[in-house]
């Protein structure tokens, strides 16, 4: 029996936000929250009287506004992860995060962005935008690096095949995969080094619709004064 509660909070939207809870202590961690959905996250915490202790952003998001700083302001949780100058606690390779008696190991996973992280647990890995289901994170946005992503993916593929994979995005309505399944079926992971770099550095015309807005909001300096968000719309 799994010794923790694990839920995806966005109802299957392409952006994925994960809740991890220690049932024994009722401490909770939220990973990659979306700003517009913060009211729903607060309702979920209140439903079971959970105490949010940390919020983690796995990378600098370029397609949506992070809800990390707002959740931290509302709950007293620590906002951690990326980007380094905008969070209360930057995270580094090898750190172990504790949510009550639940532990997550931080791996630096640069490539999609220079500050990308993944969170490794005993039976699963939260892969951020490094490894997606059937794909990998694009590397043509600010601070992306195809060579770094190739190396980060090779490290992920060293994990046991049965580990569950939960990415920060999925555009096909899929819930999870496994490391083994991705090794066998992910077209990008079947490319050799040269072909992968060539593919990932090929020009792409389309950019995230909210790229400029998202990067400006998500990289605000930590010292910048935040006003409470009075109205948050539904994502």
């Amino acid at each position: 029996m799994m010794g923790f509660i694990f839920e995806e909070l966005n109802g299957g939207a392409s952006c994925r936000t994960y809740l991890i809870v220690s049932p024994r202590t009722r401490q909770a961690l939220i990973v990659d929250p979306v700003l517009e959905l913060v009211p729903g996250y607060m309702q979920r915490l209140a439903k079971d009287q959970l105490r949010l202790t940390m919020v983690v952003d796995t990378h600098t998001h370029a397609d949506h506004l992070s809800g990390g700083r707002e959740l931290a302001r509302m709950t007293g949780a620590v906002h951690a992860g990326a980007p380094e100058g905008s969070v209360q606690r930057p995270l580094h390779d090898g750190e172990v995060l504790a949510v009550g008696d639940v532990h997550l190991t931080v791996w630096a996973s640069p490539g999609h962005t220079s500050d990308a992280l993944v969170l490794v647990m005993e039976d699963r890995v939260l892969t951020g935008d490094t490894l997606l289901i059937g794909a990998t994170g694009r590397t043509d946005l600010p601070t992306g690096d195809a060579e770094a992503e190739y190396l980060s993916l090779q490290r992920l593929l060293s994990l046991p095949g049965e580990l569950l994979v939960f990415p920060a995005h999925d555009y096909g309505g899929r819930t999870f995969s496994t490391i083994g399944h991705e090794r066998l079926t992910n077209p990008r992971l079947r490319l050799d080094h040269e072909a992968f770099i060539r593919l990932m550095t090929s020009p792409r015309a389309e950019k995230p619709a909210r790229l400029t807005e998202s990067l400006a909001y998500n990289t605000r300096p930590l010292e910048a004064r935040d006003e409470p968000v009075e109205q948050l719309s539904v994502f």
Side-chain angles (χ1 to χ4, degrees):
M1 180 178 177
M2 190 167 64
F4 56 91
I5 295 168
F6 185 88
E7 296 178 13
E8 198 287 307
L9 297 177
N10 298 346
S14 61
C15 290
R16 301 291 168 87
T17 298
Y18 299 103
L19 171 72
I20 300 168
V21 179
S22 164
R24 184 180 64 82
T25 65
R26 294 189 178 274
Q27 289 178 298
L29 167 72
I30 289 180
V31 180
D32 289 330
V34 176
L35 179 63
E36 290 86 350
L37 297 179
V38 164
Y41 306 150
M42 294 298 293
Q43 290 175 4
R44 177 63 187 91
L45 294 170
K47 176 186 174 185
D48 286 341
Q49 299 181 327
L50 304 176
R51 181 166 66 90
L52 187 65
T53 58
M54 184 174 288
V55 188
V56 173
D57 276 302
T58 59
H59 59 285
T60 301
H61 302 285
D63 62 339
H64 68 270
L65 309 187
S66 166
R69 197 179 293 193
E70 182 68 5
L71 278 170
R73 184 190 68 80
M74 296 175 73
T75 66
V78 174
H79 185 202
E84 182 172 337
S86 300
V87 295
Q88 295 166 303
R89 180 182 167 185
L91 298 176
H92 304 288
D93 190 77
E95 285 190 59
V96 178
L97 308 180
V99 185
D101 48 6
V102 182
H103 297 91
L104 306 91
T105 301
V106 177
W107 280 12
S109 190
H112 174 64
T113 61
S114 61
D115 56 15
L117 307 165
V118 301
L119 302 175
V120 183
M121 303 177 70
E122 185 176 351
D123 68 339
R124 66 196 62 204
V125 55
L126 280 63
T127 56
D129 274 12
T130 299
L131 175 59
L132 308 177
I133 299 174
T136 60
R138 61 192 294 177
T139 59
D140 62 317
L141 299 178
T143 79
D145 185 317
E147 178 68 32
E149 178 153 287
Y150 182 83
L151 296 174
S152 293
L153 289 165
Q154 297 310 302
R155 187 183 186 191
L156 276 174
L157 292 179
S158 73
L159 290 168
E162 65 271 18
L163 249 66
L164 304 174
V165 169
F166 290 91
H169 290 279
D170 185 75
Y171 303 95
R174 295 159 296 194
T175 304
F176 67 92
S177 183
T178 67
I179 291 291
H181 185 74
E182 294 306 307
R183 279 198 206 113
L184 291 173
T185 65
N186 190 316
R188 293 186 186 175
L189 301 183
R190 296 171 66 85
L191 297 173
D192 63 24
H193 175 264
E194 182 179 345
F196 180 86
I197 300 300
R198 187 166 55 247
L199 173 67
M200 300 307 294
T201 54
S202 299
R204 294 179 62 173
E206 76 283 0
K207 301 293 183 185
R210 303 179 73 183
L211 175 65
T212 301
E213 176 192 12
S214 297
L215 291 178
Y217 183 87
N218 295 334
T219 60
R220 303 178 335 284
L222 183 60
E223 310 80 52
R225 180 182 176 187
D226 283 337
E227 297 295 340
V229 179
E230 300 295 343
Q231 293 185 335
L232 297 172
S233 58
V234 175
F235 180 74

